[in-house]
Amino acid sequence: MLDKMLENVRKKSPLIHNITNYVTVNDCANITIACGAAPIMADDDGEVAEITGICAGLNINIGTLNSRTIKSMLIAGKTANELKHPVVLDPVGVGVSKLRTDTAKKLLEEVKFTAIRGNISEIKTLAAGVGLADSGCLAEKRCLAEKGSLAEKGSFAEKGSLAPKGVDANTSDKVTKENLAAAVSFAKDFSAKTGAVIAITGAIDIVADSSKAYCIYNGHPDMSSITGTGCQLSSLTAAFVTANPDSPLEATAAAVAAMGYAGEIAHERLTPLDGNSTYRNYIIDAIYNMTPEMLAKGAKYEVR
Amino acid sequence: MLDKMLENVRKKSPLIHNITNYVTVNDCANITIACGAAPIMADDDGEVAEITGICAGLNINIGTLNSRTIKSMLIAGKTANELKHPVVLDPVGVGVSKLRTDTAKKLLEEVKFTAIRGNISEIKTLAAGVGLADSGCLAEKRCLAEKGSLAEKGSFAEKGSLAPKGVDANTSDKVTKENLAAAVSFAKDFSAKTGAVIAITGAIDIVADSSKAYCIYNGHPDMSSITGTGCQLSSLTAAFVTANPDSPLEATAAAVAAMGYAGEIAHERLTPLDGNSTYRNYIIDAIYNMTPEMLAKGAKYEVR
Amino acid sequence: MLDKMLENVRKKSPLIHNITNYVTVNDCANITIACGAAPIMADDDGEVAEITGICAGLNINIGTLNSRTIKSMLIAGKTANELKHPVVLDPVGVGVSKLRTDTAKKLLEEVKFTAIRGNISEIKTLAAGVGLADSGCLAEKRCLAEKGSLAEKGSFAEKGSLAPKGVDANTSDKVTKENLAAAVSFAKDFSAKTGAVIAITGAIDIVADSSKAYCIYNGHPDMSSITGTGCQLSSLTAAFVTANPDSPLEATAAAVAAMGYAGEIAHERLTPLDGNSTYRNYIIDAIYNMTPEMLAKGAKYEVR
């Protein structure tokens, strides 16, 4: 099933409009090409509607958002909705600033997303913003959702408890075998609320729509030693959901499994002197060389 | 001849001002150093005139243009003209949005370029904008030039027929052995109109002034699997024309041949697990290690 | 001593806010992770105060500054001061434009820096701006400081004599064995004036506070063939001074020695076909794999 998703990306080679951050943009472009799609990066409000128009899908990443690009994200998102193009949201660092939280909230209100991909802290913050406070609360001491609605969080008095590693997930939020059932149910609820496929990535990845979830066990812990593997995955996801418009859940699961599997293949290539920079290159290389057959064999998941 | 061009870059090590996109800017900087020149990236209108002033050449790339940087491109371009510094234009994605088309048109009107480098779709779009509608029309079913002057193209009703792969060339525009003579004549005409050396890069590269053209056969198809080989080549071109002020045609041809030859050398290094990310690194490495002698032997071209 | 500094970065894994240029930002993020810290890049004035607030340290790099980000730099810098977080300044290209010079001057006036890292031309330009004109004048023919106060340099009539290689050091400014004593004394004086640890990097690196200086002999000349090794070092420095709040001098010296040593380790890995792109990757890899023990053995320095 997942192999078909990759096969379609290679076959259709969709053009994807990315409004993304300047930290990882080059890697996002190269991994988009590596999977078989084609990227175009454009973020000026004077052209994003047209760019979205000539593309087949859109990826919005709020990583280094600013007042100029926020406007562009909203225009592009709405245009993509009108054209019925798939749209992916990567809410990088939502919760670490009012600007990011407000922007993510506004995007959720004004744009219908096909898929939303983030780490558990980001997704919980988003979910709290749409009133999923209780259902979003996993069995943990410090649950973001308990902190009140995001709209009230003008100041960051409670900093430190929220995403203390900036754009990385709060350790206390981590999805483990113990809380997996709760996390899956949370993801399904959030999908029901938003209509988007929800991808929560971490040691165990969850990809869910309102009724079905893939729990994906691919990947390597060292992937977190590279800046932007999450951003890259969101770009991949945009390519996959665009090439598979009728199967957003499977397409997203395939992108997530492909990225994790690439992390495994790339890690095996590393020699003792290699570090995170070489690892970054090898992951993109692995996506480039991944065949649908390889993905079918390499993907490790269960459906819940 | 072409080897002398590279030799001069290494000898003079010109400082090149790049106003370029944030997707490929790091690769542009590294390849500029690799060929022997030195890059400085600056795009604020409050400093670009001064930056251009301390540099010896300028490269303008409209890849992720925005209202702020468009202003800077015009200031820098005019300053470079006043100082008689070489200026290169990379009209990335011209034709995919009114903003890019208008900006490219304005740049052509207000700045005199030493060289313009783009793929065939971009160059045809530019040419149509300066009234080269008919002469620019190669023997193809869908000729951009037939679509009327760019100035009239406020909306993008005809999207899909124009640069359908975003910043990549339209397949139907491709330069082949069959239409090479027409393409060469088109390039010469556009050069006569603009006074700039025209570099049309693709499977076969054409570098032409109004009377003479180099058809260059270096390169590897997989180069298109890397984001920004075009941008990198434009940065190289700026370095080459700056170090060889009296030979803009040969300098541009040398840059184009060097890039293609680097693509060949780098491709030979690839092992089965390598993909586009490693290929990107190896191409820059190949420019770094290329001697004038190697270029003299490796360059494959004919003069028309 | 220096090994302890690295050990603390690995142990505490501080979150570092980087406001940096878009040329080398990805490398800055990856090297920050490589040394054991965590980066977050954010430059909108609507969020920088909050981002600084959740981080433990701040790095300000003026490489591709613009009117929007300059404002953000000032807000973030002042916020970090209020919170008593370490702040590092990388005055990339100060002196090449009035905008950079004015910005650096303003930052020095309004923000208290823990460490300032630049090449000798940049640091001399900064020093001249705070009235260190004479003491800053090394025994050289063309001394920037003789050119009058930076505030008076509206136009760049004297271009060519100031940082003729753009963001690289003026060759005539180079720190050598001959002028080392003068350069050390200059660095100490500038540190006394600013209260910041001064890191002047080049063939010989000087890291000084007002009374003590480390002269560091690590590194490889080919490091200058990579864009952004300076930027990367400033990000490293921010991580090191943040993890070692009581030892800013030793922390900065450790970061500088680690970077130089990584340049040596990486250079030994290079094969004949490798160039500056692979070298870039290997340097980040070397930081990733560097243990405190390795640094203790590999660091080459004397204290003056």
Side-chain angles (χ1 to χ4, degrees), chain C residues 245-290:
Chain C
D246 300 329
S247 317
L249 178 66
E250 281 69 28
T252 305
V256 171
M259 189 71 191
Y261 185 40
E264 296 168 23
I265 296 171
H267 205 272
E268 277 173 28
R269 289 184 71 186
L270 296 176
T271 59
L273 292 176
D274 290 329
N276 59 336
S277 191
T278 294
Y279 191 27
R280 180 260 308 262
N281 291 313
Y282 284 0
I283 288 175
I284 298 174
D285 285 354
I287 291 290
Y288 185 85
N289 287 309
M290 192 179 291

Side-chain angles (χ1 to χ4, degrees), chain C residues 180-217:
Chain C
L180 182 58
V184 163
S185 139
F186 159 68
K188 287 180 177 174
D189 287 352
F190 189 35
S191 176
K193 272 272 187 185
T194 56
V197 171
I198 305 300
I200 300 170
T201 54
I204 305 174
D205 305 313
I206 299 169
V207 178
D209 64 14
S210 59
S211 60
K212 187 177 169 185
Y214 286 80
C215 299
I216 300 172
Y217 298 90

Side-chain angles (χ1 to χ4, degrees), chain B residues 29-101:
Chain B
N30 274 325
I31 208 161
T32 300
I33 301 174
C35 77
I40 182 164
M41 274 63 183
D43 66 16
D44 193 73
D45 60 353
E47 70 165 357
V48 288
E50 278 173 89
I51 301 291
T52 291
I54 61 157
C55 289
L58 172 66
N59 177 41
I60 295 177
N61 175 309
I62 67 168
T64 49
L65 82 183
N66 63 52
S67 46
R68 187 177 63 73
T69 54
I70 291 167
K71 202 174 154 193
S72 301
M73 292 170 188
L74 288 162
I75 295 171
K78 288 179 203 173
T79 305
N81 279 174
E82 282 166 24
L83 298 168
K84 306 206 181 306
H85 291 179
V87 193
V88 171
L89 174 64
D90 187 334
V92 182
V94 64
V96 301
S97 76
K98 181 163 160 39
L99 182 71
R100 293 192 191 216
T101 305

Side-chain angles (χ1 to χ4, degrees), chain A residues 22 97 100 165 274 277-278, chain C residues 13 26 43 47 269 281 285:
Chain A
Y22 58 82
S97 76
R100 293 192 191 217
K165 297 299 296 181
D274 290 330
S277 191
T278 294
Chain C
S13 188
N26 185 268
D43 65 16
E47 71 165 356
R269 289 184 71 186
N281 291 313
D285 285 354

Side-chain angles (χ1 to χ4, degrees), chain A residues 94-115:
Chain A
V94 64
V96 301
S97 76
K98 181 163 161 39
L99 183 71
R100 293 192 191 217
T101 304
D102 288 352
T103 300
K105 200 164 176 293
K106 197 155 195 204
L107 283 165
L108 279 188
E109 281 162 8
E110 303 195 10
V111 178
K112 190 180 155 10
F113 289 97
T114 311

Side-chain angles (χ1 to χ4, degrees), chain A:
Chain A
M1 187 66 198
L2 301 190
D3 53 337
K4 271 282 165 204
M5 302 293 119
L6 173 56
E7 204 176 297
N8 283 333
V9 179
R10 293 266 157 79
K11 206 180 293 171
K12 300 182 182 174
S13 188
L15 182 60
I16 308 295
H17 181 194
N18 282 269
I19 301 181
T20 186
N21 67 73
Y22 58 82
V23 186
T24 62
V25 59
N26 186 269
D27 294 333
C28 288
N30 273 325
I31 208 161
T32 300
I33 301 174
C35 78
I40 182 164
M41 274 65 183
D43 67 15
D44 192 74
D45 60 354
E47 70 165 356
V48 287
E50 279 173 88
I51 301 291
T52 291
I54 61 158
C55 289
L58 172 66
N59 176 41
I60 295 176
N61 174 309
I62 67 168
T64 49
L65 82 183
N66 62 53
S67 47
R68 187 176 63 73
T69 54
I70 291 167
K71 202 174 155 194
S72 300
M73 291 172 190
L74 288 162
I75 295 171
K78 288 180 203 173
T79 305
N81 279 174
E82 282 165 24
L83 297 169
K84 306 205 181 307
H85 291 180
V87 193
V88 171
L89 175 65
D90 186 334
V92 181
V94 64
V96 301
S97 76
K98 181 163 161 39
L99 183 71
R100 293 192 191 217
T101 304
D102 288 352
T103 300
K105 200 164 176 293
K106 197 155 195 204
L107 283 165
L108 279 188
E109 281 162 8
E110 303 195 10
V111 178
K112 190 180 155 10
F113 289 97
T114 311
I116 300 171
R117 191 220 61 84
N119 64 44
I120 179 66
S121 298
E122 290 161 347
I123 300 296
K124 285 172 77 177
T125 303
L126 274 190
V130 295
L132 258 185
D134 296 331
S135 59
C137 186
L138 310 190
E140 286 163 26
K141 279 185 203 155
R142 297 178 308 162
C143 176
L144 303 183
E146 291 168 2
K147 294 181 189 303
S149 99
L150 290 170
E152 297 160 29
K153 282 203 182 173
S155 84
F156 231 71
E158 298 159 316
K159 70 181 182 184
S161 63
L162 186 56
K165 297 299 296 181
V167 294
D168 295 328
N170 189 321
T171 331
S172 70
D173 286 337
K174 225 163 110 177
V175 175
T176 59
K177 289 198 176 173
E178 285 66 41
N179 66 15
L180 183 58
V184 164
S185 138
F186 159 69
K188 287 180 177 174
D189 287 351
F190 189 35
S191 176
K193 272 270 186 188
T194 56
V197 171
I198 305 301
I200 301 170
T201 55
I204 305 174
D205 305 313
I206 299 169
V207 178
D209 64 14
S210 59
S211 60
K212 188 176 168 185
Y214 286 79
C215 299
I216 301 172
Y217 298 90
N218 289 100
H220 192 284
D222 288 352
M223 293 176 81
S224 64
S225 72
I226 302 166
T227 191
T229 43
C231 302
Q232 291 174 43
L233 175 49
S234 295
S235 286
L236 270 191
T237 301
F240 275 70
V241 296
T242 302
N244 298 282
D246 300 328
S247 317
L249 178 66
E250 281 70 27
T252 305
V256 171
M259 188 72 191
Y261 186 40
E264 297 169 22
I265 296 170
H267 205 271
E268 277 174 29
R269 290 184 71 186
L270 296 176
T271 59
L273 292 176
D274 290 330
N276 59 336
S277 191
T278 294
Y279 192 27
R280 181 259 308 261
N281 290 314
Y282 284 0
I283 289 176
I284 299 174
D285 284 355
I287 291 289
Y288 185 85
N289 287 310
M290 192 178 292
T291 61
E293 296 70 37
M294 286 168 66
L295 179 58
K297 278 189 202 161
K300 293 191 278 278
Y301 62 91
E302 53 168 339
V303 175
R304 293 205 181 198

Side-chain angles (χ1 to χ4, degrees), chain C residues 90-237:
Chain C
D90 187 334
V92 181
V94 64
V96 301
S97 76
K98 180 163 162 37
L99 183 71
R100 294 193 189 215
T101 304
D102 288 351
T103 301
K105 201 164 176 293
K106 197 155 194 201
L107 283 164
L108 279 188
E109 281 162 9
E110 303 195 11
V111 178
K112 190 182 155 10
F113 289 96
T114 310
I116 300 171
R117 190 220 62 84
N119 63 44
I120 179 66
S121 298
E122 290 161 348
I123 299 296
K124 284 171 77 176
T125 303
L126 274 190
V130 295
L132 259 186
D134 295 331
S135 59
C137 186
L138 309 189
E140 284 163 26
K141 278 184 203 155
R142 296 178 309 161
C143 178
L144 303 183
E146 292 167 1
K147 294 182 189 302
S149 101
L150 290 170
E152 297 161 29
K153 284 204 181 171
S155 83
F156 231 71
E158 298 160 316
K159 71 182 181 183
S161 62
L162 186 56
K165 298 298 297 179
V167 293
D168 295 328
N170 188 319
T171 332
S172 69
D173 286 336
K174 225 161 111 178
V175 175
T176 60
K177 290 200 175 171
E178 286 64 43
N179 65 16
L180 182 58
V184 163
S185 139
F186 159 68
K188 287 180 177 174
D189 287 352
F190 189 35
S191 176
K193 272 272 187 185
T194 56
V197 171
I198 305 300
I200 300 170
T201 54
I204 305 174
D205 305 313
I206 299 169
V207 178
D209 64 14
S210 59
S211 60
K212 187 177 169 185
Y214 286 80
C215 299
I216 300 172
Y217 298 90
N218 290 98
H220 191 283
D222 288 352
M223 293 176 80
S224 65
S225 70
I226 302 166
T227 192
T229 42
C231 302
Q232 291 174 44
L233 174 50
S234 295
S235 287
L236 271 191
T237 301

